[in-house]
Amino acid sequence: MTRPNASVNLRGVTFAQDRPFALIAGPCQMENRDHAMMIAERMKRLTADLGIGYVFKASFDKANRTSLSGRRGIGLGGALPVFDEIQRTFDIPVLTDVHTEEQCAEVGEVCDVLQIPAFLCRQTDLLIAAARTGRVVNIKKGQFLAPWDMRNVAAKVSESGNPNILLTERGASFGYNTLVSDFRALPIMAEIGAPVVFDATHSVQQPGGQGGSSGGERRFVETLAKAAVAVGVAGLFIETHESPDTAPSDGPNMVALDDMPELLRRLKALDAAAKAF
C-alpha cells in the first residue's frame, strides 16, 4: 500500500505535523475578481508579517447549497483566470473545490490544490481524477465518516500515483442541523500518514440551520481552532470575509477579515507552545 507523504510542499508552503501550521483561508465563494484580489492581498500581507505559510481558498461553484435560491459563485470559466492572477501577483498557492471528474484536469492546469468536498469524499472516480492531475489533493472528511474511514479514502488517491494528500477534519453530524468536533479524530487521521488540517469555520456550521440556508456559530471558531492547535495539526482552514453577515454563503460561520490578525497571533503562539514539547 502506497503511503501518503508526511510533508506536503507547494510554492514554499509546507504542511507537516511537526512544523508550524500553514493556513488555508479565503472567502466561501469567489464573488468577483476584485473581491478575491482584495482578500488575497490582505491575507498575504498578514501571513507574511506573522511568518505563517498561506494558501488562498475560494470556491468557483457552491454546488451543495441548501436551496435553489442559494448563490453559487462565478463559475469555473470566470474563476480560473482570477486564480491564475492571484498566484502570479502575490506568489501564493491557490485551492478550490472540484465536484466532477471532468473539472479536475481543467482546475489542475491552474490551481495548486484540488479540494474534495466532504459530501463527495468517497466518490472513487472523482478522487482518482484529482489524483491524476499531480496536484495536491485536500480531502475533507465527510460528516458521516469515522476518522479511521479516511484511510481507505486517502488510499484511493495515493494508490492512483499521488502521495501529496491533505486530510481535513470539519466535524461530524450530531443530530439535526448540528456538527460536533471530536478531537480524537486529529491524531487518528494523522496515523494515516498525511498532514492533517482542521477546518475551524465549517466545524461551527449548522447545515440547513436557517431553513433555506446554513447557519453557524462564529463565536466558537477561535475555541475550536485553539483546541485543534493544542492537539497538533499541520494546517488550519478558516474562511474569512470583510462583511460575513452580508456574504452570499456561509456568512454565519466565517471570520471577519478585521478579526483575523489577532486570531492568528493567538493561534501561532499556541501552536509554538504545543509543538515545543
Side-chain angles (χ1 to χ4, degrees), residues 145-166:
L145 286 184
W148 45 86
D149 292 331
M150 290 297 285
R151 184 175 301 276
N152 290 326
V153 173
K156 291 179 182 181
V157 175
S158 62
E159 293 183 14
S160 296
N162 189 342
N164 290 314
I165 301 165
L166 303 174

Side-chain angles (χ1 to χ4, degrees), residues 82-235:
V82 182
F83 284 125
D84 181 61
E85 185 177 3
I86 287 171
Q87 285 175 331
R88 290 184 289 102
T89 302
F90 304 114
D91 191 26
I92 54 176
V94 298
L95 171 154
T96 198
D97 317 77
V98 289
H99 306 93
T100 68
E101 300 139 58
E102 295 75 20
Q103 291 173 347
C104 291
E106 191 171 0
V107 172
E109 288 293 319
V110 175
C111 296
D112 301 276
V113 186
L114 277 64
Q115 180 167 279
I116 307 298
F119 287 129
L120 300 177
C121 70
R122 286 177 50 132
Q123 296 297 108
T124 300
D125 291 341
L126 178 60
L127 290 163
I128 292 172
R132 287 177 175 168
T133 67
R135 296 294 195 171
V136 174
V137 181
N138 180 35
I139 312 170
K140 287 199 166 184
K141 180 179 75 63
Q143 303 91 321
F144 45 86
L145 286 184
W148 45 86
D149 292 331
M150 290 297 285
R151 184 175 301 276
N152 290 326
V153 173
K156 291 179 182 181
V157 175
S158 62
E159 293 183 14
S160 296
N162 189 342
N164 290 314
I165 301 165
L166 303 174
L167 299 178
T168 295
E169 166 62 21
R170 48 98 16 109
S173 296
F174 185 73
Y176 298 123
N177 306 122
T178 305
L179 299 173
V180 64
S181 294
D182 177 359
F183 290 97
R184 297 175 300 175
L186 301 176
I188 291 170
M189 288 168 62
E191 291 171 357
I192 296 169
V196 174
V197 177
F198 181 73
D199 182 343
T201 43
H202 287 97
S203 291
V204 303
Q205 188 185 59
Q206 296 170 322
Q210 294 183 343
S213 62
S214 292
E217 295 185 291
R218 185 185 305 131
R219 66 194 181 105
F220 292 122
V221 169
E222 181 171 348
T223 301
L224 296 186
K226 284 179 175 178
V229 166
V231 171
V233 287

Side-chain angles (χ1 to χ4, degrees), residues 7-24:
S7 178
V8 171
N9 303 282
L10 54 156
R11 294 181 185 261
V13 178
T14 299
F15 289 84
Q17 295 299 115
D18 59 352
R19 294 284 300 276
F21 75 82
L23 177 69
I24 300 169

Side-chain angles (χ1 to χ4, degrees), residues 39-84:
I39 291 185
E41 180 178 20
R42 286 188 58 176
M43 289 304 305
K44 164 69 175 183
R45 186 166 60 247
L46 171 60
T47 53
D49 288 345
L50 292 175
I52 296 173
Y54 173 54
V55 177
F56 175 82
K57 175 270 166 193
S59 298
F60 61 83
D61 180 15
K62 304 303 295 183
N64 63 345
R65 295 298 84 194
T66 301
S67 70
L68 279 174
S69 63
R71 289 171 59 186
R72 293 179 51 168
I74 66 174
L76 181 58
L80 286 180
V82 182
F83 284 125
D84 181 61

